[in-house]
Structures are given as C-alpha cells and as structure tokens.
Amino acid sequence: MTATFAADARTPADLLRSALDGDPARPLVTFYDDGTGERVELSVRTFDNWVAKTSNLLQDELGAGPGDRAALLLPAHWQTAVWLLACWSVGVAAAPGGDPEPADLVVSGPDGLEAAQACSGERVALALRPLGGRFPQRPAGFLDYAAEVPAQGDRFAPYSPVDPEAVALETETGGLPLRLTGEEIVQHARAGAARLGIAPGSRVLSTLPYDTWEGLEAGLLAPLAAGASVVLCRNSAELSAEQWEQRTASERVTLRLG
C-alpha cells in the first residue's frame, strides 16, 4: 500500500512544507486568465516563496495572528491560493467571500473594493493584473499588495505556533455554512483526493470559484493533499471545445472539474 503524502501533516501549511521537501521544482499552480491571455506557472519553491513573503506581510505589517479572521474577496486566482496558505501559516482563519464587516482584516480584488470598506481593520487590495502588477493608482484606504509584498522576507516563522485544532476556514458547502480547523481541512482534502482519484503527479484543472468548499477542494486543497498540482482557469467560459482539448493536452491534465 502506498504511503499517504505528508502523512504527519496537521495543517495545510504542513502540506506545503512537505511538497517543498519533496520536489520543489515541480509545478504546483498553473493559472490562466482567458480574459487577459495571462498564463503563470508557479513551482512549489516559487509558490512557497510568495507564501512566505505574504505571511511576513500579514504578521509584521498587518499585525495579524492566531484568532484573527480575514475576509478574502477574491476569485480563484494564484494570488488567492497564496493568501490562503499565508493565512494558515500565520494561524489566521480565512473566509473566502466572507462578510468583511466583522473581519479583522480584508483582502480584496478590484471587484470587491466597495464591499471591503465595511471592514474597520486592515485592508489590502490586489490588482490581479498580469505578472502580479500594481494598481495604476492605489485605492484610497487600502495597501497595494503588489507594492508591499516584494520587500518582505523570503523565509517565515510564526511568532506563535499554529494550533491545528483552531478554526482555519469559514466557507460553505451545498449552501450550508462550513467551519473547519486546520486538521479538518487536511482530513477533508485527503478524503476529496481519494474520492476524485487524485494521486501524486496528477494534474487537476478547475474552473470552480474559491468561495465554496467544492471550489477550494478542486482548485487547491485536494491536489495539495495528494502531492499533485492544479491548473486554475478564470474567465474561460468562451473557450471552444477545441481550445479546451488543446489546453488539456498541453498541460497534461488528468482530471477536469467544473
């Protein structure tokens, strides 16, 4: 019987560390935005570097720590995946698509900036431009993520140990609220990988949003728990069957979800 990938992992951040200890040069997240023609591929090492920098921004610049809640008003995007793992590395509960008003901080893309102003805590804006570009003009009342993150350190260590039994994710499934600890995220992700047939080396293509468990499972967590990789596609509704076939072949996709 094949050993479970990262068998001792108790948080999603543990899963990422195990991937880094394995083959850090392999692709982890490949992202397409068919509205702009953007394609970005991040290896495990590069993704981990973005997570480390973002975690340092969260902890040192934004003063976030265990017990805090971050509303993530973001689409399924490679930078959203980075923010999720950064929250879990610091011990912050992530709420994709969550209500910003009671949140301790909010992270928003261009489409969520108006709603994000309801948060009285720290506010971070992501332009979601190709190559991680900045806003032409920083939104008033927000930090521009692309301007702040490059100066952060490439290594991260939390000031406080992350509790695997603390709430780490607030989302929904089947229209019902779902709150999971870090340990439960790992357990659910492993169960999803087994159910979907995702194994080490699999390439999972997802067009699902990140504001439900199903989208998070398909587009990040089940592949991460299995030692696989993900191909995220955004604004892809107008692709033809031939274009999908070409992408599936060129990216060596083994499973398409959404």
Side-chain angles (χ1 to χ4, degrees):
M1 181 176 178
T2 303
T4 301
F5 173 78
D8 59 345
R10 298 188 65 199
T11 71
D14 292 337
L15 294 173
L16 180 58
R17 282 191 287 272
S18 294
L20 191 65
D21 291 339
D23 180 5
R26 71 173 174 86
L28 182 61
V29 177
T30 304
F31 172 73
Y32 283 87
D33 187 333
D34 289 298
T36 64
E38 177 186 11
R39 178 188 183 276
V40 174
E41 183 166 281
L42 286 79
S43 67
V44 175
R45 180 184 289 111
T46 301
F47 185 84
D48 178 74
N49 182 254
W50 276 94
V51 171
K53 285 179 173 291
T54 305
S55 299
N56 283 313
L57 176 68
L58 258 175
Q59 181 172 262
D60 296 335
E61 304 299 328
L62 303 178
D68 286 336
R69 176 179 176 274
L72 306 181
L73 308 186
L74 299 166
H77 190 282
W78 70 266
Q79 289 186 327
T80 312
V82 165
W83 269 95
L84 285 162
L85 266 297
C87 286
W88 296 328
S89 297
V90 175
V92 172
D99 184 356
E101 186 172 2
D104 298 286
L105 67 149
V106 64
V107 185
S108 176
D111 294 340
L113 294 176
E114 183 175 352
Q117 293 179 19
C119 179
S120 60
E122 298 285 358
R123 304 174 192 156
V124 182
L126 276 65
L128 303 179
R129 302 179 69 192
L131 303 178
R134 304 182 183 188
F135 284 92
Q137 183 173 350
R138 178 175 60 83
F142 290 81
L143 292 178
D144 185 339
Y145 173 65
E148 300 294 332
V149 76
Q152 302 300 316
D154 294 329
R155 295 180 180 274
F156 173 73
Y159 293 149
S160 302
V162 175
D163 181 1
E165 298 181 359
V167 173
L169 176 65
E170 297 180 11
T171 184
E172 64 175 54
T173 179
L176 299 174
L178 179 67
R179 286 163 56 93
L180 297 175
T181 66
E183 198 162 42
E184 289 170 336
I185 291 172
V186 173
Q187 293 169 354
H188 279 58
R190 283 182 176 148
R195 185 183 72 255
L196 296 167
I198 302 172
S202 295
R203 293 276 283 168
V204 182
L205 186 152
S206 174
T207 59
L208 298 173
Y210 268 179
D211 56 359
T212 67
W213 170 257
E214 289 75 15
L216 291 169
E217 176 187 70
L220 178 63
L221 292 170
L224 183 62
S229 59
V230 63
V231 181
L232 289 176
C233 298
R234 183 184 182 216
N235 297 322
S236 56
E238 301 302 318
L239 265 61
S240 66
E242 181 180 0
Q243 288 173 312
W244 277 122
E245 289 178 6
Q246 291 174 344
R247 179 163 301 172
T248 298
S250 66
E251 295 294 348
R252 303 181 301 283
V253 170
T254 58
L255 176 66
R256 178 178 167 181
L257 299 170

